[in-house]
């Protein structure tokens, strides 16, 4: 796919987001023939977002489509990558305006803060070799904007081309002593409006949060990029995505790491 075609498809995706159109997979002449082509479209979309939107600079990174079931649903055998922009990073507690989204999804993750630039030439990394670049870890939400997608008709290339549906992140308080914590074997609990609704082990996301970090680092290196000091990396969700209603309040608490809180709108639902 030539550059003009790549940029034209990215423009279509950008306009679909601006005009709040329902998500539709890329089909026909717009369909990427490979993951690499889909990433080229993603790069072109990000360029438009930064020049014409208010995304701000890249300040973080995410991994998506991590579970085997979701990969099978989306027709891939590996995760996919997306960038996170500065103006979409928030601190807990955070209130989201539901009117800013077509349909909000919430994912429950561990985020890590990169303390120093990662040398691209040192790739490939694994969980052990990338750990030295991590300053702190924290519980986090990823806010998903799936634009009311039809989950019976999805493919990973279309999702990643559309920024992996990342609508922002909410970060809990950073924990600097994370090296003294078994980060891959912690219990996380989700509360909705004050009631516990789900729990799971942090190792359910690719076996360990640092495995997700290593994958992101290696993906960037494959495209001539590298993690930078001060950037945030979301390491994948060990729990299923939730789709909140206006007024819902979510708290995600991870043993030894603390909690992160997200409120949808200003009308608060209370537990009964």
């Amino acid at each position: 796919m030539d550059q003009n075609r790549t940029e034209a498809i990215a423009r279509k995706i950008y306009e679909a987001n601006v005009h709040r159109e329902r998500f539709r997979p890329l089909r026909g002449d717009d369909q990427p023939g490979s993951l690499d082509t889909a990433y080229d479209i993603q790069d072109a979309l990000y360029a438009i977002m930064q020049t014409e939107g208010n995304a701000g600079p890249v300040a973080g990174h995410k991994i998506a489509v991590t579970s085997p079931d979701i990969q099978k649903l989306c027709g891939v055998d590996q995760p996919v990558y997306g960038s996170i922009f500065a103006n979409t990073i928030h601190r807990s507690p955070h209130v989201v305006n539901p009117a800013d989204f077509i349909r909000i999804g919430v994912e429950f993750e561990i985020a890590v803060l990169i303390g120093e630039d990662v040398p691209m030439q040192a790739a490939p990394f694994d969980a052990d070799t990338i750990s030295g670049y991590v300053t702190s870890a924290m519980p986090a939400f990823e806010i998903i904007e799936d634009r009311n997608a039809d989950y019976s008709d999805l493919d990973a290339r279309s999702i990643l081309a559309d920024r992996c549906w990342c609508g922002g992140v909410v970060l809990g308080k950073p924990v600097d002593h994370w090296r003294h914590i078994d980060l891959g074997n912690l219990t996380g609990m989700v509360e909705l409006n004050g009631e516990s609704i789900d729990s799971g082990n942090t190792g359910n996301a690719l076996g360990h949060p640092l495995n997700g970090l290593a994958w992101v680092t290696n993906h960037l290196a494959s495209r001539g990029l590298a993690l930078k000091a001060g950037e945030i990396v979301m390491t994948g969700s060990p729990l299923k995505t939730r789709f909140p209603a206006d007024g819902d309040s979510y708290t995600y608490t991870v043993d030894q790491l603390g909690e992160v809180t997200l409120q949808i709108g200003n009308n608060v639902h209370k537990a009964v």
Side-chain angles (χ1 to χ4, degrees):
M1 187 177 290
D2 65 30
Q3 185 64 24
N4 288 339
R5 187 65 189 149
T6 298
E7 292 178 356
I9 297 169
R11 171 63 61 182
K12 287 183 181 180
I13 297 171
Y14 179 76
E15 295 295 339
N17 277 276
V18 169
H19 296 296
R20 301 172 63 87
E21 297 173 6
R22 186 178 189 184
F23 175 86
R24 299 188 186 281
L26 299 171
R27 295 289 185 260
D29 292 340
D30 292 345
Q31 187 172 22
S34 67
L35 285 174
D36 283 341
T37 300
Y39 282 119
D40 291 340
I41 297 170
Q42 184 191 81
D43 288 344
L45 172 64
Y46 287 155
I48 297 170
M49 290 172 61
Q50 290 181 290
T51 57
E52 299 183 27
N54 62 350
V58 172
H61 311 270
K62 63 162 285 184
I63 185 172
V65 190
T66 54
S67 80
D69 288 344
I70 296 299
Q71 289 176 13
K72 183 177 180 180
L73 176 69
C74 293
V76 291
D77 60 359
Q78 59 184 285
V80 295
Y81 163 87
S83 294
I84 303 170
F85 292 91
N87 291 347
T88 67
I89 296 178
H90 313 283
R91 296 289 172 175
S92 175
H94 179 65
V95 178
V96 170
N97 182 358
D100 293 338
F101 296 83
I102 299 171
R103 181 169 63 181
I104 302 173
V106 179
E107 295 188 345
F108 312 90
E109 309 195 20
I110 299 298
V112 296
L113 175 65
I114 303 302
E116 60 180 289
D117 292 353
V118 177
M120 180 177 61
Q121 64 273 18
F125 289 89
D126 59 22
D128 289 334
T129 55
I130 196 60
S131 65
Y133 297 92
V134 175
T135 296
S136 57
M138 64 212 84
F141 295 113
E142 182 179 0
I143 304 169
I144 299 296
E145 166 62 286
D146 72 359
R147 290 198 285 127
N148 201 26
D150 178 357
Y151 280 67
S152 69
D153 183 22
L154 290 181
D155 66 82
R157 296 172 189 175
S158 297
I159 294 171
L160 78 86
D162 195 352
R163 61 199 169 91
C164 275
W165 291 350
C166 184
V169 300
V170 182
L171 305 176
K173 185 178 179 180
V175 173
D176 295 337
H177 63 275
W178 69 271
R179 297 179 194 280
H180 303 289
I181 299 170
D182 187 359
L183 205 61
N185 188 30
L186 302 175
T187 298
M189 183 181 71
V190 178
E191 292 181 68
L192 170 60
N193 304 324
E195 294 187 346
S196 178
I197 61 166
D198 201 1
S199 64
N201 190 281
T202 53
N204 291 343
L206 294 177
H208 196 289
L210 294 184
N211 289 336
L213 173 61
W215 187 93
V216 166
T217 309
N218 294 333
H219 167 79
L220 289 172
S222 74
R223 297 188 65 81
L225 302 169
L227 292 174
K228 298 178 181 179
E231 292 183 331
I232 292 291
V233 180
M234 301 288 284
T235 60
S237 181
L239 297 164
K240 71 178 184 180
T241 304
R242 299 281 174 168
F243 295 93
D246 189 3
D248 280 346
S249 177
Y250 280 89
T251 298
Y252 180 45
T253 304
V254 180
D255 288 348
Q256 303 181 69
L257 284 183
E259 67 179 35
V260 59
T261 300
L262 174 64
Q263 173 71 37
I264 310 300
N266 292 313
N267 297 317
V268 180
H269 290 165
K270 296 182 179 180
V272 295

